[in-house]
């Protein structure tokens, strides 16, 4: 697939995998995906597996992502993880503002924006998640919700930082439900996001930013989703937990 922007496909393992299980999965991915150069490949294990997985991916085309990060650099923030700690394990990407954190940890757009600035300050790349709920979509508010989330979560980023930021469009109603947005719905949302980035930053920035689709991506729908003009990769949850399904998503996307 020849696209203007290099595809980036990331596996969000969420709160799954012990260290032993994580190493097992990485071993399989390295065997299956060793030759892949056309796609930036990222795995995002839980914090507890970052150390061992970082050693396991050293000699491979797999890059490491974290699922969250503190906005602070150091100090009395019980349970939090700072950028410098992630960098010890060669983490390159940090997922921010996932809908599960927005829902269960009450993360706001303003907090996501502060975290995004901290991620960039550490020369890491944020993957910033946005997406509407079913009620919001049915009320015709999809664009309004995305605009509010993007304006809030990207507040204060420079053009240079925006180009190094990845957006993940994840319709909340399709996460882990087996429902997927149709390719037309995905493309429509991605085109809207890109046009908005054009207004918020400029056209050149908007053309360069990679926008992942996420929510029930699987081997059977990956090719069609990735063929859409403004879909530049995927953030994969459930299907990233097995070597076979994650590897097939990537192979079907190339
Ligand atoms: C996610 O939550 O980031 C996600 C994409 O999950 P799933 O693929 O399981 O819908």
């Amino acid at each position: 697939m020849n696209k203007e922007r290099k595809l980036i496909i990331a596996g969000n393992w969420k709160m799954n995998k012990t260290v032993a299980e994580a190493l097992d999965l990485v071993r399989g991915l390295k065997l299956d995906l060793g030759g892949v150069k056309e796609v930036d490949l990222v795995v995002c294990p839980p914090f507890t597996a970052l150390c061992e997985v970082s050693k396991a991916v050293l000699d491979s085309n797999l890059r490491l992502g974290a699922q969250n990060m503190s906005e602070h650099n150091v100090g009395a923030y019980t349970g939090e993880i700072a950028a410098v700690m992630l960098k010890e394990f060669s983490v390159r990407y940090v997922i921010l503002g996932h809908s599960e954190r927005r829902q269960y940890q009450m993360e706001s757009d303003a907090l996501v924006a502060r975290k995004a600035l901290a991620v960039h300050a550490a020369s890491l790349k944020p993957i910033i998640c946005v997406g509407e709920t079913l009620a919001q979509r049915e009320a015709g508010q999809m664009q309004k919700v995305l605009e509010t989330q993007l304006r809030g979560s990207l507040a204060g980023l420079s053009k240079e930082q925006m180009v190094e930021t990845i957006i993940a469009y994840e319709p909340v109603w399709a996460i882990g439900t087996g429902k997927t947005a149709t390719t037309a719905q995905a493309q429509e949302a991605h085109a809207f996001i890109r046009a908005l980035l054009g207004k918020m930053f400029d056209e050149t920035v908007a053309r360069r930013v990679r926008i992942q689709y996420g929510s029930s991506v699987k081997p059977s729908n990956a090719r069609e989703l990735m063929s859409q003009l403004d879909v530049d990769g995927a953030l994969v949850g459930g299907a990233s937990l097995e070597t076979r399904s994650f590897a097939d998503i990537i192979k079907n996307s190339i």
Side-chain angles (χ1 to χ4, degrees):
M1 200 172 293
N2 194 8
K3 299 197 71 156
E4 189 180 344
R5 295 164 291 271
K6 189 173 183 188
L7 290 180
I8 174 163
I9 300 184
N12 174 12
W13 297 0
K14 307 192 182 185
M15 199 175 71
N16 293 287
K17 306 291 178 191
T18 61
V19 172
E21 290 166 346
L23 289 176
D24 211 41
L25 177 52
V26 164
R27 208 169 297 126
L29 293 176
K30 281 169 67 177
L31 281 175
D32 245 27
L33 298 170
V36 173
K37 295 191 180 63
E38 303 88 333
V39 182
D40 285 335
L41 303 177
V42 185
V43 290
C44 305
F47 290 129
T48 47
L50 282 177
C51 178
E52 290 304 317
V53 172
S54 75
K55 292 181 218 160
V57 299
L58 257 187
D59 57 344
S60 81
N61 52 352
L62 295 172
R63 298 288 168 263
L64 204 52
Q67 298 176 22
N68 182 34
M69 196 189 94
S70 172
E71 64 180 298
H72 303 290
N73 292 329
V74 66
Y77 301 102
T78 302
E80 293 291 314
I81 302 284
V84 66
M85 299 167 182
L86 298 181
K87 291 188 71 155
E88 275 190 305
F89 302 127
S90 308
V91 165
R92 307 266 185 102
Y93 300 88
V94 184
I95 299 172
L96 295 179
H98 191 280
S99 62
E100 286 150 14
R101 293 201 65 84
R102 291 177 184 268
Q103 184 183 349
Y104 304 132
Q105 272 76 34
M106 309 302 158
E107 292 202 354
S108 64
D109 293 326
L111 176 62
V112 173
R114 293 198 298 277
K115 289 185 178 194
L117 288 170
V119 167
H120 279 297
S123 302
L124 301 171
K125 294 181 202 292
I127 298 176
I128 297 184
C129 304
V130 294
E132 79 287 358
T133 63
L134 187 58
Q136 290 165 334
R137 174 169 277 267
E138 287 177 347
Q141 293 173 344
M142 185 263 281
Q143 294 190 350
K144 187 166 155 264
V145 170
L146 293 182
E147 177 156 3
T148 303
Q149 290 178 337
L150 287 164
R151 287 196 183 275
S153 305
L154 304 176
L157 291 191
S158 66
K159 289 182 184 178
E160 292 71 25
Q161 289 170 328
M162 189 61 231
V163 168
E164 299 297 329
T165 298
I166 293 124
I167 303 291
Y169 169 62
E170 299 207 303
V172 178
W173 48 273
I175 294 180
T177 59
K179 290 183 191 160
T180 324
T182 63
T183 48
Q185 286 171 325
Q187 169 57 26
E188 184 200 358
H190 283 229
F192 173 76
I193 291 169
R194 199 174 304 287
L196 181 63
L197 294 176
K199 285 187 228 158
M200 291 171 60
F201 295 88
D202 66 33
E203 291 306 319
T204 312
V205 170
R207 233 185 11 255
R208 291 180 59 193
V209 172
R210 294 188 287 182
I211 307 175
Q212 295 176 315
Y213 174 80
S215 300
S216 300
V217 175
K218 35 189 187 272
S220 58
N221 59 23
R223 185 185 303 277
E224 219 189 320
L225 283 164
M226 296 310 126
S227 70
Q228 300 302 300
L229 192 63
D230 289 293
V231 177
D232 310 311
L235 183 56
V236 186
S240 72
L241 297 176
E242 301 288 336
T243 303
R244 187 69 283 125
S245 47
F246 193 58
D248 282 350
I249 285 172
I250 285 140
K251 288 177 187 167
N252 292 348
S253 299
I254 296 171

